[in-house]
């Protein structure tokens, strides 16, 4: 977006000074989502993890831009006060793309999902984005139609997203089919297997493998020349020795799905409910894995952003 266009929306979209400077000078920037902080991780660990994610991006040589709405203003890059609001305030709503303008117009606080973070990052010209695990097609979606807006948004947003595959609570096979239909390019980072978030391998292959940030940067350059309009998903697995025990994972997941059903949990509450169930039922093991996932993805996204601007 041009400086004039950014000025025009300055009342609604505010860039942190270091993010604005990096974008102006063509430096590496990594967008970070905030729903993982507000709704994905338990308090008070979430605030410490949010800071660690930003530190991981900085250590790898890029500028972190955590995205959220605070008092109705979209913030691209949060100061310490704003980060604390996102991590601690009960007034923060999970804001997907459909919710953004409502929260904005009403002056509310909103945490952005993968979908809304990708849209806002692209709006201001950020090309690289890190998350934990993408949303996707939920189990039973044939009946409920519960498919994350992450998918359809990535179909029309030309950004590079680093994630540990999609959340393992989903129907992974169906999600991969939808990603193919929606023209989202999927590459495995250092693997031929599609990661399963808490698990290193979801049981499905990836169409392409890369082994270095420079390889991703070469693909990004080709995408630009070819006019790619959908996202590039870099699937970065947990090392197998750091994953959740698969048998325990499957057991906890079945319990969580049954509990969600019994409690009548629907719509945007399903994902936070299941993640919270995991954190409780695994006595912190899933929190440990979730934290390692997001830190590793933030660092890799930063290395990719550095490689992209170096070309
Ligand atoms: N991955 C995580 N924790 C999270 C999420 C993803 O490790 O909290 C969030 C992301 O913000 C993602 C959202 O975009 O869950 C998907 O929610 P839904 O299934 O309602 O679209
Ligand atoms: Mn949903």
């Amino acid at each position: 977006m041009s400086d004039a266009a950014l000025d025009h929306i300055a009342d609604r979209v505010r860039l942190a000074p270091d993010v604005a400077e990096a974008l102006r000078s063509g430096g590496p920037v990594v967008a970070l989502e905030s729903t993982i902080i507000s709704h994905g991780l338990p308090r008070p660990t979430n605030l410490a993890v949010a800071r660690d994610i930003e530190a991981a991006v900085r250590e790898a040589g890029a500028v972190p831009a955590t995205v959220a709405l605070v008092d109705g203003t979209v913030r691209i890059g949060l100061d310490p006060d704003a980060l604390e609001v996102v991590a601690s305030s009960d007034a923060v709503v999970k804001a997907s793309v459909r919710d953004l303008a409502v929260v904005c117009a009403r002056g509310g606080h909103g945490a952005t999902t993968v979908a809304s973070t990708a849209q806002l990052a692209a709006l201001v010209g950020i090309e690289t984005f890190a998350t934990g695990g993408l949303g996707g097609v939920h189990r039973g979606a044939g009946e409920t139609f519960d498919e994350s807006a992450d998918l359809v948004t990535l179909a029309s947003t030309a950004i590079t997203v680093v994630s540990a595959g999609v959340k393992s609570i989903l129907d992974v096979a169906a999600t991969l089919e939808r990603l193919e239909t929606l023209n989202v390019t999927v590459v495995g980072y250092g693997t031929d297997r599609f990661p399963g978030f808490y698990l290193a391998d979801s049981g499905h292959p990836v169409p392409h493998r890369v082994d270095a940030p420079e390889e991703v940067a070469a693909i990004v350059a080709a995408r630009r020349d070819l006019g790619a309009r959908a996202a590039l998903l870099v699937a970065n697995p947990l090392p197998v020795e750091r994953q959740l025990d698969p048998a325990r994972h499957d057991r906890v997941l079945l319990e969580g799905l049954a509990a969600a059903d019994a409690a009548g949990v629907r719509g945007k509450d399903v994902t936070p409910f299941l993640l919270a169930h995991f954190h409780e039922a695994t006595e912190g093991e899933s929190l440990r894995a979730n934290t390692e996932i997001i830190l590793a993805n933030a660092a890799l996204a930063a290395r990719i952003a550095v490689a992209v601007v170096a070309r």
Side-chain angles (χ1 to χ4, degrees):
M1 190 175 257
S2 68
D3 283 357
L6 276 176
D7 279 350
H8 182 67
I9 56 167
D11 289 346
R12 299 212 188 268
V13 181
R14 197 188 315 161
L15 275 63
D18 54 347
V19 174
E21 174 50 32
L23 289 175
R24 232 184 337 259
S25 61
V29 178
V30 174
L32 299 164
E33 61 146 316
S34 47
T35 293
I36 195 171
I37 304 166
S38 63
H39 291 72
L41 299 168
R43 298 177 195 164
T45 322
N46 61 344
L47 179 58
V49 173
R51 291 183 180 130
D52 289 348
I53 298 168
E54 294 196 346
V57 171
R58 282 203 181 88
E59 264 161 47
V63 176
T66 306
V67 176
L69 285 112
V70 179
D71 293 323
T73 301
V74 172
R75 306 275 294 264
I76 314 277
L78 303 182
D79 57 37
D81 288 348
L83 201 62
E84 204 160 327
V85 167
V86 170
S88 322
S89 167
D90 289 333
V92 176
V93 298
K94 175 177 167 183
S96 192
V97 175
R98 62 167 189 179
D99 309 302
L100 285 177
V102 179
V103 179
C104 195
R106 293 185 175 164
H109 300 324
T112 51
T113 62
V114 168
S116 48
T117 307
Q119 170 157 318
L120 292 169
L123 175 72
V124 300
I126 299 175
E127 292 183 293
T128 316
F129 170 23
T131 181
L134 233 57
V137 181
H138 282 259
R139 291 161 197 239
E143 297 255 307
T144 63
F145 282 68
D146 188 353
E147 174 181 319
S148 177
D150 293 354
L151 295 187
V152 71
T153 304
L154 293 183
S156 60
T157 311
I159 197 164
T160 300
V161 187
V162 180
S163 93
V166 299
K167 284 187 292 283
S168 55
I169 59 178
L170 302 168
D171 182 336
V172 179
T175 304
L176 282 166
E177 291 293 348
R178 289 290 290 149
L179 287 167
E180 180 178 351
T181 304
L182 295 170
N183 299 326
V184 175
T185 302
V186 179
V187 300
Y189 191 85
T191 182
D192 298 300
R193 310 295 298 170
F194 192 64
F197 193 58
Y198 296 130
L199 305 177
D201 179 355
S202 68
H204 302 273
V206 283
H208 311 281
R209 172 186 177 135
V210 293
D211 290 286
E214 293 71 25
E215 272 185 76
V216 180
I219 294 170
V220 169
R223 281 163 49 80
R224 271 190 210 137
D225 293 343
L226 299 177
R229 285 181 298 220
L232 167 62
L233 172 59
V234 179
N236 185 33
L238 267 184
V240 71
E241 65 278 9
R242 306 301 297 168
Q243 70 176 359
L244 280 193
D245 171 46
R248 187 178 200 193
H249 170 273
D250 295 353
R251 200 169 57 238
V252 169
L253 176 56
L254 285 178
E255 285 164 16
L257 291 167
D261 200 40
V265 178
R266 300 272 181 280
K268 69 196 250 187
D269 299 329
V270 172
T271 296
F273 180 94
L274 289 174
L275 293 176
H277 173 81
F278 258 95
H279 296 331
E280 278 155 35
T282 64
E283 293 148 324
E285 226 345 63
S286 72
L287 178 57
R288 191 251 335 134
N290 204 339
T291 306
E292 290 184 13
I293 286 167
I294 178 72
L295 291 177
N297 292 349
L300 177 57
R303 292 171 62 208
I304 290 170
V306 168
V308 166
V309 302
R311 271 183 76 91

